[in-house]
Amino acid sequence: MTKKIIIAIDGHSSCGKSTMAKQLAKEIGYVYVDTGAMYRAVTLYAMRNGMYPDEGIQEAELKAAVDEGKIQIGFKFNPETGRPDTYLNGEKVEDEIRQMAVSNRVSPIAALPFVRALLTQQQQAMGKEKGIVMDGRDIGTAVFPQAEMKVFVTASAKVRAQRRYDELMGKATTQEEKDALDFDEILKNVEERDYLDSHREVAPLRQAEDAIVLDNSNLTREEQSAWLLEKYKEIVK
Ligand code: DC
């Protein structure tokens, strides 16, 4: 039997990391964990509980909620979509956490040391048995620095904004929702998050020294998946 390993996939926002990570996990029978969804779920919790008004995050209140164990995040496999759905305190929040309202607010939440400490600990527990593909920003550097396979994915900001635009357009069900989508706003969000994610003090987005780099600006999904599977096979050989 092939040995089980930890696969860390890090990179910029909207670069297709999760699609390729999910596909790989399916192909090799590993568990897939989207850590961005966990930061998004904490953001949604703060927004819903009046801890994240326009003026900024109510840090003390959010920290108290974290310390009291009031924010429980989990995943449940959805056989209909073939992917795990994100749950916040028992409620499925998969669609809500992908909305622009959350995307626009998540980076400052992800910069808070107590939020990172909580989620890092949970992610490490999920990888205890190995056999896991985890995607995020700091998986190969902070969560699993010992991961046997590390990939750092990137693509130009424009290409990434276009992918996110297409994804949101595909999900929009009414003309009103479609009209509300603005490519320039999405591009701005992608660039702002790149900056914030790379410049925060705790576990900033950076390429691990031993990561394999993949610029997928000009690759199709199939090409990326084939590339990733090939790398995995080389590593476990
Ligand atoms: O991958 P995503 O766009 O869903 O991630 C949402 C935000 O969470 C992103 O702005 C960066 C942050 N994040 C992080 O800081 N560390 C991770 N391991 C995953 C995501």
Side-chain angles (χ1 to χ4, degrees), residues 58-70:
Q58 307 282 324
E59 272 188 48
E61 284 178 41
L62 183 59
K63 185 164 187 318
V66 165
D67 292 344
E68 287 163 27
K70 286 188 176 159

Side-chain angles (χ1 to χ4, degrees), residues 42-53 58 61-62 65 70-71 88-89:
V42 173
T43 306
L44 183 64
Y45 177 90
M47 288 164 64
R48 283 180 171 179
N49 288 280
M51 297 172 187
Y52 204 163
Q58 307 282 324
E61 284 178 41
L62 183 59
K70 286 188 176 159
I71 312 178
L88 169 63
N89 295 332

Side-chain angles (χ1 to χ4, degrees), residues 9-25 32-37 83-84 94 98 133-137 153 164 167 216 221 224-225 228:
I9 304 199
D10 290 305
H12 292 104
S13 68
S14 309
C15 63
K17 289 189 303 295
S18 60
T19 309
M20 61 192 276
K22 243 176 268 172
Q23 176 68 23
L24 178 68
Y32 164 69
V33 178
D34 171 1
T35 62
R83 292 184 230 134
E94 186 56 35
R98 310 285 167 195
V133 182
M134 196 171 269
D135 90 55
R137 304 292 188 286
V153 196
R164 174 126 320 182
E167 184 190 334
N216 67 12
R221 275 187 186 183
Q224 288 179 61
S225 291
L228 197 60

Side-chain angles (χ1 to χ4, degrees), residues 142-155:
V143 181
F144 294 119
Q146 79 286 16
E148 290 87 348
M149 174 169 168
K150 297 181 187 177
V151 181
F152 189 84
V153 196
T154 189

Side-chain angles (χ1 to χ4, degrees), residues 35-36 39-40 106-107 110 116 136-139 193 197 200:
T35 62
Y39 288 94
R40 287 172 180 270
V106 61
S107 282
R116 299 208 74 83
R137 304 292 188 286
D138 62 337
I139 311 306
R193 281 204 293 150
D197 295 343
R200 66 174 174 238

